[in-house]
Amino acid sequence: MKKLAALLLALLMALSLTACSGKDEQAEKLDLSAASWDQIVDAAKGTTVTFYGWGGDEDRNNWLANVGAPYMKEHYGITLEVVGMNIDEILAKLAGEKEAGAAAGSIDMIWINGENFYSAKENGLLYGAFLDKLPNTEAYIDTQDPETLNDFCMPIEGYEAPYGRAQLVLFNDSAVTPEAPSSAQELLSYCRQYPGKVTYPALPDFTGSAFVRNIIYELCGWEQFQTMEADYETVKEAIAPALDYLRSLNPYLWNEGRTFPDSSTTVDAMFTDGELVLAMSYSPYGVAVGIENGVYTPTTRTFLFENGTIGNTNYMSIAFNSPNPAGALVVINAMISAGLQLSQYEKLRNLPVVSPEKLSAGEKAAFEAVDMGEGILTQEELLTHRLPEMPAKLVPVIEEIWLNEVVGK
């Protein structure tokens, strides 16, 4: 009897594996360019989709595990496997598979933007144009929004779909420093008033790099950089006023600008410990989360420069050799739905990528009903002070110039 039960169990497992294999093969072989959306959804049912991206955001990891993955399983029968990996490692993995001629790799979806998208697209590591294939693109996304069309000034051409929005904000404790500098010049006065109590992350930290680019915009304007070539001397000449300004800050910064903290995480820890009186973040609602969690005091408040701060969008793309592109399309389409964007807005405090003009009255009311917490700016205040990103190719040039011309000077 035991032998018969074992034999039946083995047979059922074999049939199950055969069925899964068949579904994976069906999803892989489907001609997505000619398939209807219903055919794509059907092909994706019962398959696994791997989603590779930076795994350092625990709140996002929890959201994907407890909201995103169960949603995909319930609505589409898809198993979503999230793999935390730094983007440079992801691109190296894809490049290695491309060099080896691997027709089907291990990565389906990628969390990506900026310089990394530029590099991946230029080197043929992405699947291709798919954005207009998604029903929720037309339903919820402003297809003429500059951030739908370009990523760090790099034409997207449908190679990625928006996932969430970020924007640089500054914050301080109003009970410690009542001032909230609204310009670069006011920031300089602020640093003089609180010597050694202000700094920013060393470049190429993402937030530190954005802060420096924001200073460049403030003092040099932003328009000229949208079409500028990534020539070291050309860029250096164009940003000379900002370099002068950053050097003028150094004597009043933490460690007198001889060195800078290694990351935005370190700067944040120094702020919460009282070592600094100002910090910055690419998460515009991060202060509310910090207040709720008891990390920041209730008197901590977010502020912006009057002329605006840099904002960008992060995206989802598909690997050039995705073993399950049909499944990836279905997952990405779900991620840009009003429902999952609302969930991210509420639980992750992300600026949503859905267009308010495309939301139904009920959907719009649901977004407006979310209590985003204390110490933050409204979505309207953020978006009306939002500045475009620079071309991705300029970013590493500026970071190199900063290292050579600002640190310790």
Side-chain angles (χ1 to χ4, degrees):
M1 193 67 181
K2 288 182 179 179
K3 288 183 178 180
L4 179 59
L7 182 61
L8 287 171
L9 179 60
L11 180 59
L12 285 171
M13 289 178 65
L15 288 171
S16 174
L17 288 172
T18 301
C20 290
S21 175
K23 289 298 295 183
D24 290 339
E25 188 175 343
Q26 178 187 357
E28 183 180 345
K29 290 184 175 180
L30 183 68
D31 181 1
L32 298 181
S33 63
S36 69
W37 184 251
D38 286 343
Q39 288 174 318
I40 292 172
V41 171
D42 183 63
K45 193 176 298 181
T47 65
T48 295
V49 173
T50 57
F51 186 12
Y52 277 64
W54 180 61
D57 185 340
E58 283 306 312
D59 289 335
R60 180 167 296 279
N61 293 342
N62 291 334
W63 182 86
L64 286 167
N66 299 318
V67 178
Y71 183 94
M72 302 307 166
K73 177 65 77 173
E74 177 185 351
H75 291 271
Y76 301 105
I78 290 173
T79 299
L80 182 65
E81 289 186 358
V82 180
V83 181
M85 183 181 287
N86 290 333
I87 187 63
D88 55 343
E89 296 174 306
I90 295 171
L91 297 187
K93 181 178 177 63
L94 287 174
E97 290 176 355
K98 189 174 185 68
E99 188 175 351
S106 54
I107 299 173
D108 291 311
M109 291 169 52
I110 312 162
W111 186 17
I112 194 169
N113 82 332
E115 300 165 71
N116 298 305
F117 171 67
Y118 176 80
S119 174
K121 188 168 182 284
E122 287 292 289
N123 290 287
L125 303 182
L126 301 180
Y127 175 80
F130 65 84
L131 188 61
D132 62 357
K133 193 75 176 176
L134 310 178
N136 282 337
T137 298
E138 181 61 32
Y140 293 113
I141 303 299
D142 180 356
T143 56
Q144 297 307 307
D145 187 316
E147 292 180 43
T148 305
L149 298 172
N150 299 286
D151 181 354
F152 278 70
C153 299
M154 173 76 170
I156 291 173
E157 298 175 330
Y159 277 62
E160 56 183 3
Y163 186 26
R165 284 182 166 179
Q167 187 167 343
L168 183 70
V169 296
L170 298 97
F171 54 95
N172 64 358
D173 187 337
S174 60
V176 177
T177 60
E179 307 84 358
S182 62
S183 68
Q185 292 307 318
E186 287 188 12
L187 178 62
L188 177 57
S189 299
Y190 184 89
C191 292
R192 285 173 173 160
Q193 188 171 351
Y194 303 100
K197 303 286 282 184
V198 177
T199 189
Y200 55 94
L203 281 61
D205 173 88
F206 201 63
T207 305
S209 183
F211 170 76
V212 168
R213 295 197 301 279
N214 220 104
I215 294 297
I216 291 170
Y217 277 4
E218 178 90 1
L219 299 176
C220 310
W222 62 267
E223 294 89 345
Q224 63 174 316
F225 298 101
Q226 301 300 293
T227 57
M228 184 174 290
E229 290 300 314
D231 173 72
Y232 186 98
E233 292 302 327
T234 300
V235 176
K236 180 181 172 183
E237 181 179 354
I239 68 173
L243 296 174
D244 289 339
Y245 171 85
L246 291 168
R247 286 190 289 262
S248 74
L249 273 187
N250 280 348
Y252 310 103
L253 297 182
W254 172 82
N255 205 25
E256 297 181 340
R258 290 188 292 266
T259 60
F260 291 79
D262 62 344
S263 69
S264 55
T265 303
T266 301
V267 169
D268 194 65
M270 294 168 72
F271 173 76
T272 56
D273 288 343
E275 192 174 353
L276 300 176
V277 296
L278 179 147
M280 57 197 68
S281 174
Y282 240 135
S283 299
Y285 301 126
V287 165
V289 177
I291 291 174
E292 287 176 15
N293 295 336
V295 177
Y296 302 141
T297 64
T299 47
T300 304
R301 45 90 188 274
T302 304
F303 61 94
L304 300 167
F305 281 178
E306 187 176 316
N307 289 337
T309 58
I310 290 174
N312 64 53
T313 299
N314 52 81
Y315 303 84
M316 300 167 287
S317 197
I318 302 174
F320 78 97
N321 61 346
S322 161
N324 186 9
L329 287 174
V330 173
V331 171
I332 292 173
N333 185 66
M335 289 293 193
I336 62 173
S337 67
L340 287 187
Q341 284 289 307
L342 175 63
S343 178
Q344 291 186 75
Y345 183 59
E346 184 176 20
K347 299 181 183 302
L348 299 181
R349 313 296 168 88
N350 266 2
L351 276 169
V353 299
V354 293
S355 171
E357 289 73 24
K358 292 194 172 187
L359 295 175
S360 68
E363 290 165 343
K364 190 175 294 186
F367 275 93
E368 291 172 352
V370 176
D371 181 4
M372 297 301 286
E374 301 298 321
I376 57 174
L377 302 171
T378 66
Q379 186 176 165
E380 183 180 0
E381 288 174 304
L382 291 164
L383 296 181
T384 55
H385 289 81
R386 188 175 177 88
L387 298 174
E389 265 294 1
M390 283 188 182
K393 60 187 178 182
L394 293 186
V395 175
V397 177
I398 288 171
E399 291 168 351
E400 183 182 359
I401 293 171
W402 176 84
L403 183 62
N404 294 336
E405 302 294 330
V406 175
V407 179
K409 302 292 177 68

